[in-house]
Amino acid sequence: MANVVVVGSQWGDEGKGKIVDWLSSQADVVVRFQGGHNAGHTLVIDGVTYKLSLLPSGIVRPGKLSVVGNGVVIDPHALIAEIERVSAQGVSITPETLRIAENACLILSLHRELDQQRESANSGTKIGTTGRGIGPAYEDKVGRRAIRMTDLTDLGTLMPKIERLLAHHNALRRGLNLAEIEPQAIYDELAAVAPKVLPYVTTVFDLLDEQRRAGKRILFEGAQGTLLDIDHGTYPFVTSSNTVSGQAAIGSGMGPSAINYVLGITKAYTTRVGGGPFPTELEDENGQIMGDRGREFGTVTGRRRRCGWFDAVLVRQAVKTNGIDGIALTKLDILDVFKEIKVCVAYELDGKQIDIFPANQDAQQRIKPIYETIEGWDSTTMGARSWGELPAQAIKYVRRIEELIGCPVALLSTSPERDDTILVRNPFE
């Protein structure tokens, strides 16, 4: 059986929710492998809308096993609240349907406070974080001082670990003129949530190996997008984890041989939330039209997204860094009203043409997009379920994107509705 990794090939918000939902109906196991509750998926199933941040998309489907891997940082309070909220919508969430890695690191209240303090400071670079503590939690993880899920199993051994954590954080807080935190406060916070989360905790790498050996289909569900990757994104305007497909192996404990197909979710234009470079950004009427027609507001933050023309250079890089086998092209219908559509095919940097997005932050500010103009189709693609229902110019646009990014379209989405999808290749087959 094929195992599929789903990643965003742009700055996130590519419409992964619908595609992941479509794929999760075919999967036996759905695994979150990075990030935290700073990214969200919106699923619409039988007319009911589910907004998920930490819970894998498979949780809303009976008979599926949902797994939160070790690559995710988990705010236990946010997890409990999300379980309660989704359960109130009629979804059964039990230790038989949801499993959480024992070696996943925790987000604590001190992480949230530090994140918000940094982002609101008057000096320094504003990254545009959600202020939910994800970055500081990952810092503690690599600093080898994090509290992990497994630490909650024996509260008697927790205090020395808390003291080690606070030796770092209280020094930071003194520098920020914040009150120091007493170890007992963190202990009480963790002791209160431990009974609520521990029933879900297990050795995930072993569980997933059992599922693989039993021939189960596994879907690895990425959050955010490639261009927010800590290594391969628009640094420093990135998230604090690896969002590329290789993280599916690391963040689940399965190993790269378990991955059979990488699907890159790709919007037919470009959006991003927060600060950072955006070569094809439109600050005119066209950008406004895209935002309004595409309902471009963040699932988690509610912030309006910046909009621009499709950037083939960036997506081509995402294809390479993820090893993408096929893309799911979403929101084609948003472009229905444009007489002409532009696609960025290269950049100009200091008078020279280049075909990669430079890693240097200063160079990123100086690049200018080189556009190719494609005639619009001036008719609707919304709801199309076969190539024969698409205008000829829309097909030409899709084929040109395939050429420019060096990757075929596996699925084409023409509306938020699940069945409004043109299937070229099923990644599971």
Side-chain angles (χ1 to χ4, degrees):
M1 289 290 185
N3 297 325
V4 177
V5 179
V6 173
V7 293
S9 68
Q10 293 155 310
W11 278 292
D13 310 310
E14 298 95 350
K16 290 188 290 296
K18 169 187 169 176
I19 304 300
V20 167
D21 168 46
W22 185 84
L23 289 168
S24 67
S25 67
Q26 303 177 61
D28 301 297
V29 185
V30 183
V31 184
R32 267 289 304 275
F33 59 84
Q34 53 78 218
H37 63 307
N38 55 335
H41 287 164
T42 300
L43 307 180
V44 181
I45 300 175
D46 297 329
V48 180
T49 299
Y50 303 93
K51 292 185 180 293
L52 307 177
S53 293
L54 273 172
L55 297 175
S57 297
I59 201 70
V60 300
R61 294 191 173 279
K64 310 296 182 183
L65 175 62
S66 293
V67 177
V68 180
N70 57 275
V72 179
V73 286
I74 301 171
D75 182 327
H77 299 286
L79 175 65
I80 293 165
E82 189 171 336
I83 290 173
E84 292 174 349
R85 186 180 72 250
V86 177
S87 296
Q89 292 184 274
V91 177
S92 175
I93 302 176
T94 70
E96 283 68 48
T97 60
L98 174 65
R99 306 304 280 165
I100 299 171
E102 62 186 355
N103 51 339
C105 295
L106 299 182
I107 300 173
L108 307 178
S109 55
L110 58 83
H111 294 127
R112 294 192 299 272
E113 189 175 0
L114 177 59
D115 200 3
Q116 293 164 11
Q117 174 71 18
R118 287 172 171 172
E119 193 67 10
S120 62
N122 292 325
S123 60
T125 300
K126 291 188 182 299
I127 304 300
T129 77
T130 59
R132 300 192 173 200
I134 281 79
Y138 274 117
E139 290 175 35
D140 284 345
K141 177 179 180 176
V142 298
R144 297 169 297 223
R145 55 182 171 263
I147 306 296
R148 305 196 297 174
M149 275 290 182
T150 187
D151 296 326
L152 303 184
T153 59
D154 186 355
L155 296 179
T157 65
L158 196 53
M159 191 60 81
K161 297 169 185 175
I162 293 173
E163 290 172 347
R164 180 181 63 192
L165 176 69
L166 289 180
H168 171 79
H169 275 275
N170 278 336
L172 276 179
R173 295 174 71 87
R174 286 193 295 271
L176 293 169
N177 293 317
L178 298 174
E180 294 188 29
I181 298 174
E182 292 296 326
Q184 189 65 42
I186 301 298
Y187 179 91
D188 292 344
E189 176 185 344
L190 293 173
V193 298
K196 298 179 181 180
V197 297
L198 283 177
Y200 302 101
V201 174
T202 193
T203 306
V204 156
F205 78 85
D206 199 42
L207 171 67
L208 292 177
D209 184 66
E210 290 175 2
Q211 296 291 315
R212 181 182 66 83
R213 291 179 184 276
K216 303 296 186 181
R217 286 178 166 179
I218 302 174
L219 174 65
F220 298 92
E221 177 185 5
Q224 301 153 311
T226 297
L227 300 175
L228 295 175
D229 184 275
I230 189 68
D231 287 298
H232 300 287
T234 50
Y235 192 91
F237 301 95
V238 292
T239 194
S240 298
S241 63
N242 288 109
T243 60
V244 294
S245 61
Q247 178 64 21
I250 299 169
S252 67
M254 285 206 72
S257 62
I259 299 171
N260 305 110
Y261 191 96
V262 179
L263 181 69
I265 315 300
T266 308
K267 196 176 288 186
Y269 50 103
T270 310
T271 62
R272 86 170 294 174
V273 171
F278 187 167
T280 65
E281 183 174 10
L282 295 171
E283 300 184 59
D284 59 8
E285 183 183 7
N286 288 332
Q288 185 72 31
I289 291 171
M290 285 180 189
D292 292 343
R293 285 178 54 81
R295 297 177 183 175
E296 296 295 352
F297 297 92
T299 299
V300 170
T301 64
R303 289 181 292 184
R304 186 176 181 91
R305 298 172 186 140
R306 301 153 64 190
C307 298
W309 298 119
F310 186 85
D311 192 328
V313 180
L314 290 176
V315 177
R316 185 166 61 239
Q317 289 187 203
V319 168
K320 295 175 181 178
T321 54
N322 287 285
I324 292 175
D325 297 293
I327 66 167
L329 191 66
T330 64
K331 291 197 166 185
L332 181 67
D333 56 298
I334 304 306
L335 300 179
D336 286 351
V337 299
F338 292 99
K339 301 290 186 182
E340 291 184 337
I341 300 169
K342 293 184 178 181
V343 176
C344 175
V345 297
Y347 301 130
E348 179 187 322
L349 176 62
D350 300 335
K352 296 180 179 179
Q353 182 171 322
I354 59 173
D355 61 1
I356 63 169
F357 188 78
N360 182 277
Q361 185 179 353
D362 293 329
Q364 291 172 2
Q365 301 298 325
R366 299 198 307 274
I367 60 172
K368 299 177 182 178
I370 298 175
Y371 286 116
E372 178 178 296
T373 300
I374 299 175
E375 181 184 345
W377 39 94
D378 197 25
S379 58
T380 185
T381 62
M382 178 172 280
R385 300 183 181 181
S386 69
W387 290 109
E389 297 177 54
L390 291 177
Q393 280 301 126
I395 295 175
K396 182 178 179 180
Y397 180 74
V398 173
R399 295 305 186 203
R400 183 56 178 147
I401 284 177
E402 289 180 316
E403 292 174 357
L404 289 168
I405 67 174
C407 188
V409 169
L411 296 96
L412 180 63
S413 172
T414 56
S415 94
E417 294 298 321
R418 187 169 181 265
D419 293 332
D420 292 343
T421 304
I422 299 171
L423 176 63
V424 180
R425 176 183 173 178
N426 187 338
F428 276 120
E429 295 177 354

